[in-house]
Amino acid sequence: MSSIESRCPEDFREAVYEVVRQIPAGRVLSYGKIAELTGWPRRARHVGRVLRETPASLRLPCHRVVNSAGRIAPSWPEQRTLLLSEGVSFRSEQCVNMALSAWRVEELI
DNA sequence: AAGTTGACTTAAA
DNA sequence: ATTTAAGCCAACT
């Protein structure tokens, strides 16, 4: 069974983990993009929930996930510090400069 | 069972 | 540029 054909909620969760795990340092990815990459393109909101419930012990770089506008997660100001320490540029207090820091999966060079 | 919520997104105004 | 509206769907009331 390939992961793309998986159906259950736990498979979705694992798929999200898998994608987030691959976001390079200094780059960010949106909930919507992650949803697309997992094969569940309409579950952007659920990506957020999965990450919110992710145990810290997994050590996923969930701070590299922002919304489509580049906004960091509400009620998690520490995310900004984490991203700044990786060199991610911000346009404002709450928004990442997506033009500079969004991870474009296509660009492999 | 029915209504609400949310670490979302896109399009429209 | 900012704000609204509608669509989304599993979890939670």
Side-chain angles (χ1 to χ4, degrees):
Chain A
M1 58 177 183
S2 64
S3 60
I4 191 67
E5 298 173 6
S6 302
R7 297 283 160 89
C8 20
E10 46 191 20
D11 286 337
F12 172 67
R13 196 167 56 239
E14 290 302 322
V16 170
Y17 292 163
E18 196 55 41
V19 172
V20 173
R21 217 186 311 272
Q22 304 186 48
I23 306 175
R27 289 301 179 80
V28 299
L29 202 53
S30 74
Y31 301 95
K33 288 292 188 180
I34 293 171
E36 289 176 20
L37 292 171
T38 62
W40 281 270
R42 309 183 190 174
R43 296 193 185 182
R45 308 192 84 130
H46 305 290
V47 173
R49 188 186 47 234
V50 166
L51 294 181
R52 187 185 49 174
E53 299 170 350
T54 299
S57 61
L58 292 185
R59 296 176 186 178
L60 288 179
C62 44
H63 60 283
R64 297 180 190 142
V65 183
V66 297
N67 74 11
S68 64
R71 214 187 102 99
I72 62 176
S75 67
W76 189 24
E78 185 183 338
Q79 181 177 15
R80 184 172 198 275
T81 308
L82 291 168
L83 290 174
L84 284 174
S85 70
E86 295 185 343
V88 171
S89 63
F90 277 70
R91 291 192 322 174
S92 68
E93 192 66 27
Q94 309 263 346
C95 284
V96 166
N97 185 332
M98 295 301 273
L100 293 180
S101 302
W103 181 35
R104 293 179 286 278
V105 185
E106 311 298 338
E107 70 162 46
L108 296 181
I109 303 175

PDB file of all heavy atoms in Angstrom, chain A residues 40-66:
ATOM      1  N   TRP A  40      -4.212  15.039   0.621  1.00  0.00           N
ATOM      2  CA  TRP A  40      -5.523  15.480   1.106  1.00  0.00           C
ATOM      3  C   TRP A  40      -5.574  16.998   0.956  1.00  0.00           C
ATOM      4  O   TRP A  40      -5.451  17.723   1.950  1.00  0.00           O
ATOM      5  CB  TRP A  40      -5.733  15.109   2.571  1.00  0.00           C
ATOM      6  CG  TRP A  40      -6.101  13.697   2.839  1.00  0.00           C
ATOM      7  CD1 TRP A  40      -7.376  13.181   2.890  1.00  0.00           C
ATOM      8  CD2 TRP A  40      -5.227  12.597   3.143  1.00  0.00           C
ATOM      9  NE1 TRP A  40      -7.324  11.840   3.201  1.00  0.00           N
ATOM     10  CE2 TRP A  40      -6.035  11.454   3.357  1.00  0.00           C
ATOM     11  CE3 TRP A  40      -3.843  12.470   3.249  1.00  0.00           C
ATOM     12  CZ2 TRP A  40      -5.488  10.211   3.669  1.00  0.00           C
ATOM     13  CZ3 TRP A  40      -3.314  11.225   3.559  1.00  0.00           C
ATOM     14  CH2 TRP A  40      -4.138  10.114   3.764  1.00  0.00           C
ATOM     15  N   PRO A  41      -5.710  17.481  -0.275  1.00  0.00           N
ATOM     16  CA  PRO A  41      -5.584  18.911  -0.577  1.00  0.00           C
ATOM     17  C   PRO A  41      -6.573  19.824   0.136  1.00  0.00           C
ATOM     18  O   PRO A  41      -6.342  21.018   0.229  1.00  0.00           O
ATOM     19  CB  PRO A  41      -5.780  18.964  -2.089  1.00  0.00           C
ATOM     20  CG  PRO A  41      -6.531  17.734  -2.418  1.00  0.00           C
ATOM     21  CD  PRO A  41      -6.087  16.699  -1.444  1.00  0.00           C
ATOM     22  N   ARG A  42      -7.684  19.270   0.641  1.00  0.00           N
ATOM     23  CA  ARG A  42      -8.675  20.136   1.274  1.00  0.00           C
ATOM     24  C   ARG A  42      -8.621  20.116   2.789  1.00  0.00           C
ATOM     25  O   ARG A  42      -9.562  20.539   3.445  1.00  0.00           O
ATOM     26  CB  ARG A  42     -10.069  19.725   0.823  1.00  0.00           C
ATOM     27  CG  ARG A  42     -10.137  19.627  -0.668  1.00  0.00           C
ATOM     28  CD  ARG A  42     -11.518  19.296  -1.104  1.00  0.00           C
ATOM     29  NE  ARG A  42     -11.538  18.970  -2.526  1.00  0.00           N
ATOM     30  CZ  ARG A  42     -12.620  18.527  -3.144  1.00  0.00           C
ATOM     31  NH1 ARG A  42     -13.733  18.352  -2.462  1.00  0.00           N
ATOM     32  NH2 ARG A  42     -12.572  18.249  -4.422  1.00  0.00           N
ATOM     33  N   ARG A  43      -7.557  19.578   3.321  1.00  0.00           N
ATOM     34  CA  ARG A  43      -7.510  19.477   4.779  1.00  0.00           C
ATOM     35  C   ARG A  43      -6.496  20.403   5.438  1.00  0.00           C
ATOM     36  O   ARG A  43      -5.846  20.031   6.410  1.00  0.00           O
ATOM     37  CB  ARG A  43      -7.230  18.039   5.193  1.00  0.00           C
ATOM     38  CG  ARG A  43      -8.334  17.104   4.777  1.00  0.00           C
ATOM     39  CD  ARG A  43      -8.199  15.771   5.467  1.00  0.00           C
ATOM     40  NE  ARG A  43      -9.188  14.844   4.972  1.00  0.00           N
ATOM     41  CZ  ARG A  43      -9.336  13.613   5.409  1.00  0.00           C
ATOM     42  NH1 ARG A  43      -8.530  13.153   6.342  1.00  0.00           N
ATOM     43  NH2 ARG A  43     -10.257  12.835   4.919  1.00  0.00           N
ATOM     44  N   ALA A  44      -6.377  21.597   4.890  1.00  0.00           N
ATOM     45  CA  ALA A  44      -5.426  22.559   5.452  1.00  0.00           C
ATOM     46  C   ALA A  44      -5.688  22.785   6.944  1.00  0.00           C
ATOM     47  O   ALA A  44      -4.765  22.833   7.745  1.00  0.00           O
ATOM     48  CB  ALA A  44      -5.505  23.874   4.697  1.00  0.00           C
ATOM     49  N   ARG A  45      -6.977  22.894   7.297  1.00  0.00           N
ATOM     50  CA  ARG A  45      -7.305  23.151   8.704  1.00  0.00           C
ATOM     51  C   ARG A  45      -6.848  22.011   9.592  1.00  0.00           C
ATOM     52  O   ARG A  45      -6.434  22.213  10.723  1.00  0.00           O
ATOM     53  CB  ARG A  45      -8.805  23.346   8.895  1.00  0.00           C
ATOM     54  CG  ARG A  45      -9.411  24.361   7.974  1.00  0.00           C
ATOM     55  CD  ARG A  45     -10.822  24.699   8.411  1.00  0.00           C
ATOM     56  NE  ARG A  45     -10.769  25.707   9.438  1.00  0.00           N
ATOM     57  CZ  ARG A  45     -11.489  26.813   9.423  1.00  0.00           C
ATOM     58  NH1 ARG A  45     -12.349  27.026   8.490  1.00  0.00           N
ATOM     59  NH2 ARG A  45     -11.360  27.690  10.384  1.00  0.00           N
ATOM     60  N   HIS A  46      -6.949  20.818   9.067  1.00  0.00           N
ATOM     61  CA  HIS A  46      -6.584  19.648   9.863  1.00  0.00           C
ATOM     62  C   HIS A  46      -5.080  19.549  10.069  1.00  0.00           C
ATOM     63  O   HIS A  46      -4.627  18.996  11.056  1.00  0.00           O
ATOM     64  CB  HIS A  46      -7.136  18.385   9.218  1.00  0.00           C
ATOM     65  CG  HIS A  46      -8.610  18.451   8.985  1.00  0.00           C
ATOM     66  ND1 HIS A  46      -9.512  18.416  10.010  1.00  0.00           N
ATOM     67  CD2 HIS A  46      -9.322  18.613   7.851  1.00  0.00           C
ATOM     68  CE1 HIS A  46     -10.729  18.543   9.515  1.00  0.00           C
ATOM     69  NE2 HIS A  46     -10.639  18.667   8.213  1.00  0.00           N
ATOM     70  N   VAL A  47      -4.349  20.072   9.109  1.00  0.00           N
ATOM     71  CA  VAL A  47      -2.891  20.090   9.278  1.00  0.00           C
ATOM     72  C   VAL A  47      -2.574  20.882  10.538  1.00  0.00           C
ATOM     73  O   VAL A  47      -1.759  20.476  11.355  1.00  0.00           O
ATOM     74  CB  VAL A  47      -2.193  20.732   8.063  1.00  0.00           C
ATOM     75  CG1 VAL A  47      -0.696  20.912   8.331  1.00  0.00           C
ATOM     76  CG2 VAL A  47      -2.409  19.882   6.815  1.00  0.00           C
ATOM     77  N   GLY A  48      -3.269  21.997  10.695  1.00  0.00           N
ATOM     78  CA  GLY A  48      -3.066  22.830  11.874  1.00  0.00           C
ATOM     79  C   GLY A  48      -3.376  22.081  13.151  1.00  0.00           C
ATOM     80  O   GLY A  48      -2.636  22.176  14.125  1.00  0.00           O
ATOM     81  N   ARG A  49      -4.440  21.322  13.133  1.00  0.00           N
ATOM     82  CA  ARG A  49      -4.800  20.592  14.343  1.00  0.00           C
ATOM     83  C   ARG A  49      -3.775  19.508  14.653  1.00  0.00           C
ATOM     84  O   ARG A  49      -3.387  19.311  15.799  1.00  0.00           O
ATOM     85  CB  ARG A  49      -6.190  19.974  14.219  1.00  0.00           C
ATOM     86  CG  ARG A  49      -6.662  19.390  15.538  1.00  0.00           C
ATOM     87  CD  ARG A  49      -7.994  18.631  15.449  1.00  0.00           C
ATOM     88  NE  ARG A  49      -8.047  17.724  14.346  1.00  0.00           N
ATOM     89  CZ  ARG A  49      -9.014  17.739  13.429  1.00  0.00           C
ATOM     90  NH1 ARG A  49      -9.961  18.641  13.506  1.00  0.00           N
ATOM     91  NH2 ARG A  49      -9.017  16.872  12.444  1.00  0.00           N
ATOM     92  N   VAL A  50      -3.363  18.791  13.610  1.00  0.00           N
ATOM     93  CA  VAL A  50      -2.363  17.738  13.797  1.00  0.00           C
ATOM     94  C   VAL A  50      -1.106  18.320  14.450  1.00  0.00           C
ATOM     95  O   VAL A  50      -0.586  17.772  15.413  1.00  0.00           O
ATOM     96  CB  VAL A  50      -1.984  17.078  12.452  1.00  0.00           C
ATOM     97  CG1 VAL A  50      -0.728  16.234  12.590  1.00  0.00           C
ATOM     98  CG2 VAL A  50      -3.139  16.230  11.932  1.00  0.00           C
ATOM     99  N   LEU A  51      -0.650  19.437  13.913  1.00  0.00           N
ATOM    100  CA  LEU A  51       0.574  20.038  14.443  1.00  0.00           C
ATOM    101  C   LEU A  51       0.399  20.545  15.867  1.00  0.00           C
ATOM    102  O   LEU A  51       1.300  20.446  16.683  1.00  0.00           O
ATOM    103  CB  LEU A  51       1.049  21.168  13.532  1.00  0.00           C
ATOM    104  CG  LEU A  51       1.492  20.704  12.139  1.00  0.00           C
ATOM    105  CD1 LEU A  51       1.977  21.878  11.323  1.00  0.00           C
ATOM    106  CD2 LEU A  51       2.574  19.640  12.253  1.00  0.00           C
ATOM    107  N   ARG A  52      -0.781  21.068  16.137  1.00  0.00           N
ATOM    108  CA  ARG A  52      -1.046  21.583  17.476  1.00  0.00           C
ATOM    109  C   ARG A  52      -0.969  20.451  18.501  1.00  0.00           C
ATOM    110  O   ARG A  52      -0.553  20.638  19.628  1.00  0.00           O
ATOM    111  CB  ARG A  52      -2.442  22.216  17.516  1.00  0.00           C
ATOM    112  CG  ARG A  52      -2.748  22.921  18.815  1.00  0.00           C
ATOM    113  CD  ARG A  52      -4.185  23.409  18.843  1.00  0.00           C
ATOM    114  NE  ARG A  52      -5.114  22.344  18.453  1.00  0.00           N
ATOM    115  CZ  ARG A  52      -6.441  22.452  18.492  1.00  0.00           C
ATOM    116  NH1 ARG A  52      -6.976  23.584  18.884  1.00  0.00           N
ATOM    117  NH2 ARG A  52      -7.223  21.470  18.116  1.00  0.00           N
ATOM    118  N   GLU A  53      -1.364  19.258  18.071  1.00  0.00           N
ATOM    119  CA  GLU A  53      -1.388  18.109  18.984  1.00  0.00           C
ATOM    120  C   GLU A  53      -0.114  17.274  18.923  1.00  0.00           C
ATOM    121  O   GLU A  53      -0.004  16.263  19.596  1.00  0.00           O
ATOM    122  CB  GLU A  53      -2.585  17.218  18.639  1.00  0.00           C
ATOM    123  CG  GLU A  53      -3.910  17.934  18.793  1.00  0.00           C
ATOM    124  CD  GLU A  53      -5.066  17.131  18.213  1.00  0.00           C
ATOM    125  OE1 GLU A  53      -4.811  16.126  17.540  1.00  0.00           O
ATOM    126  OE2 GLU A  53      -6.218  17.531  18.444  1.00  0.00           O
ATOM    127  N   THR A  54       0.825  17.680  18.081  1.00  0.00           N
ATOM    128  CA  THR A  54       2.057  16.911  17.937  1.00  0.00           C
ATOM    129  C   THR A  54       2.926  16.987  19.189  1.00  0.00           C
ATOM    130  O   THR A  54       3.246  18.070  19.658  1.00  0.00           O
ATOM    131  CB  THR A  54       2.885  17.441  16.748  1.00  0.00           C
ATOM    132  OG1 THR A  54       2.139  17.297  15.547  1.00  0.00           O
ATOM    133  CG2 THR A  54       4.185  16.664  16.616  1.00  0.00           C
ATOM    134  N   PRO A  55       3.294  15.828  19.723  1.00  0.00           N
ATOM    135  CA  PRO A  55       4.158  15.787  20.907  1.00  0.00           C
ATOM    136  C   PRO A  55       5.536  16.359  20.594  1.00  0.00           C
ATOM    137  O   PRO A  55       6.086  16.081  19.523  1.00  0.00           O
ATOM    138  CB  PRO A  55       4.285  14.289  21.209  1.00  0.00           C
ATOM    139  CG  PRO A  55       3.334  13.581  20.315  1.00  0.00           C
ATOM    140  CD  PRO A  55       2.940  14.504  19.227  1.00  0.00           C
ATOM    141  N   ALA A  56       6.066  17.125  21.507  1.00  0.00           N
ATOM    142  CA  ALA A  56       7.375  17.745  21.302  1.00  0.00           C
ATOM    143  C   ALA A  56       8.464  16.688  21.159  1.00  0.00           C
ATOM    144  O   ALA A  56       9.498  16.925  20.538  1.00  0.00           O
ATOM    145  CB  ALA A  56       7.692  18.674  22.468  1.00  0.00           C
ATOM    146  N   SER A  57       8.199  15.504  21.701  1.00  0.00           N
ATOM    147  CA  SER A  57       9.201  14.436  21.666  1.00  0.00           C
ATOM    148  C   SER A  57       9.535  13.999  20.247  1.00  0.00           C
ATOM    149  O   SER A  57      10.593  13.426  19.996  1.00  0.00           O
ATOM    150  CB  SER A  57       8.707  13.236  22.470  1.00  0.00           C
ATOM    151  OG  SER A  57       7.515  12.733  21.912  1.00  0.00           O
ATOM    152  N   LEU A  58       8.627  14.281  19.304  1.00  0.00           N
ATOM    153  CA  LEU A  58       8.895  13.905  17.915  1.00  0.00           C
ATOM    154  C   LEU A  58       9.914  14.839  17.292  1.00  0.00           C
ATOM    155  O   LEU A  58      10.507  14.536  16.259  1.00  0.00           O
ATOM    156  CB  LEU A  58       7.599  13.945  17.095  1.00  0.00           C
ATOM    157  CG  LEU A  58       6.563  12.890  17.453  1.00  0.00           C
ATOM    158  CD1 LEU A  58       5.383  12.968  16.497  1.00  0.00           C
ATOM    159  CD2 LEU A  58       7.184  11.504  17.384  1.00  0.00           C
ATOM    160  N   ARG A  59      10.101  16.003  17.904  1.00  0.00           N
ATOM    161  CA  ARG A  59      11.079  16.982  17.436  1.00  0.00           C
ATOM    162  C   ARG A  59      10.902  17.355  15.969  1.00  0.00           C
ATOM    163  O   ARG A  59      11.857  17.373  15.196  1.00  0.00           O
ATOM    164  CB  ARG A  59      12.492  16.443  17.648  1.00  0.00           C
ATOM    165  CG  ARG A  59      12.811  16.259  19.114  1.00  0.00           C
ATOM    166  CD  ARG A  59      14.178  15.628  19.297  1.00  0.00           C
ATOM    167  NE  ARG A  59      14.421  15.327  20.713  1.00  0.00           N
ATOM    168  CZ  ARG A  59      15.528  14.727  21.157  1.00  0.00           C
ATOM    169  NH1 ARG A  59      16.467  14.386  20.296  1.00  0.00           N
ATOM    170  NH2 ARG A  59      15.691  14.477  22.432  1.00  0.00           N
ATOM    171  N   LEU A  60       9.653  17.579  15.584  1.00  0.00           N
ATOM    172  CA  LEU A  60       9.391  18.029  14.218  1.00  0.00           C
ATOM    173  C   LEU A  60       9.590  19.536  14.165  1.00  0.00           C
ATOM    174  O   LEU A  60       9.314  20.228  15.133  1.00  0.00           O
ATOM    175  CB  LEU A  60       7.940  17.712  13.827  1.00  0.00           C
ATOM    176  CG  LEU A  60       7.575  16.266  13.566  1.00  0.00           C
ATOM    177  CD1 LEU A  60       6.098  16.182  13.224  1.00  0.00           C
ATOM    178  CD2 LEU A  60       8.408  15.720  12.431  1.00  0.00           C
ATOM    179  N   PRO A  61      10.054  20.046  13.026  1.00  0.00           N
ATOM    180  CA  PRO A  61      10.213  21.496  12.879  1.00  0.00           C
ATOM    181  C   PRO A  61       8.889  22.167  12.577  1.00  0.00           C
ATOM    182  O   PRO A  61       8.737  22.803  11.532  1.00  0.00           O
ATOM    183  CB  PRO A  61      11.192  21.617  11.718  1.00  0.00           C
ATOM    184  CG  PRO A  61      10.925  20.413  10.881  1.00  0.00           C
ATOM    185  CD  PRO A  61      10.546  19.317  11.844  1.00  0.00           C
ATOM    186  N   CYS A  62       7.915  22.017  13.469  1.00  0.00           N
ATOM    187  CA  CYS A  62       6.595  22.574  13.192  1.00  0.00           C
ATOM    188  C   CYS A  62       6.588  24.094  13.238  1.00  0.00           C
ATOM    189  O   CYS A  62       5.621  24.718  12.816  1.00  0.00           O
ATOM    190  CB  CYS A  62       5.547  21.985  14.122  1.00  0.00           C
ATOM    191  SG  CYS A  62       6.035  21.879  15.829  1.00  0.00           S
ATOM    192  N   HIS A  63       7.673  24.699  13.703  1.00  0.00           N
ATOM    193  CA  HIS A  63       7.732  26.164  13.681  1.00  0.00           C
ATOM    194  C   HIS A  63       7.917  26.663  12.253  1.00  0.00           C
ATOM    195  O   HIS A  63       7.759  27.837  11.973  1.00  0.00           O
ATOM    196  CB  HIS A  63       8.877  26.655  14.567  1.00  0.00           C
ATOM    197  CG  HIS A  63      10.220  26.162  14.167  1.00  0.00           C
ATOM    198  ND1 HIS A  63      10.658  24.875  14.428  1.00  0.00           N
ATOM    199  CD2 HIS A  63      11.233  26.762  13.493  1.00  0.00           C
ATOM    200  CE1 HIS A  63      11.887  24.737  13.944  1.00  0.00           C
ATOM    201  NE2 HIS A  63      12.257  25.853  13.360  1.00  0.00           N
ATOM    202  N   ARG A  64       8.256  25.749  11.342  1.00  0.00           N
ATOM    203  CA  ARG A  64       8.437  26.140   9.937  1.00  0.00           C
ATOM    204  C   ARG A  64       7.146  26.088   9.155  1.00  0.00           C
ATOM    205  O   ARG A  64       7.147  26.085   7.930  1.00  0.00           O
ATOM    206  CB  ARG A  64       9.484  25.244   9.268  1.00  0.00           C
ATOM    207  CG  ARG A  64      10.854  25.399   9.896  1.00  0.00           C
ATOM    208  CD  ARG A  64      11.898  24.505   9.239  1.00  0.00           C
ATOM    209  NE  ARG A  64      13.124  24.524  10.039  1.00  0.00           N
ATOM    210  CZ  ARG A  64      13.909  23.457  10.245  1.00  0.00           C
ATOM    211  NH1 ARG A  64      13.611  22.303   9.693  1.00  0.00           N
ATOM    212  NH2 ARG A  64      14.977  23.553  10.994  1.00  0.00           N
ATOM    213  N   VAL A  65       6.021  25.987   9.861  1.00  0.00           N
ATOM    214  CA  VAL A  65       4.722  25.968   9.201  1.00  0.00           C
ATOM    215  C   VAL A  65       3.953  27.237   9.541  1.00  0.00           C
ATOM    216  O   VAL A  65       3.776  27.565  10.716  1.00  0.00           O
ATOM    217  CB  VAL A  65       3.904  24.738   9.639  1.00  0.00           C
ATOM    218  CG1 VAL A  65       2.582  24.703   8.886  1.00  0.00           C
ATOM    219  CG2 VAL A  65       4.696  23.461   9.393  1.00  0.00           C
ATOM    220  N   VAL A  66       3.536  27.951   8.511  1.00  0.00           N
ATOM    221  CA  VAL A  66       2.777  29.195   8.679  1.00  0.00           C
ATOM    222  C   VAL A  66       1.584  29.152   7.729  1.00  0.00           C
ATOM    223  O   VAL A  66       1.486  28.234   6.916  1.00  0.00           O
ATOM    224  CB  VAL A  66       3.661  30.415   8.341  1.00  0.00           C
ATOM    225  CG1 VAL A  66       4.838  30.518   9.299  1.00  0.00           C
ATOM    226  CG2 VAL A  66       4.148  30.332   6.905  1.00  0.00           C
TER     227      VAL A  66
END
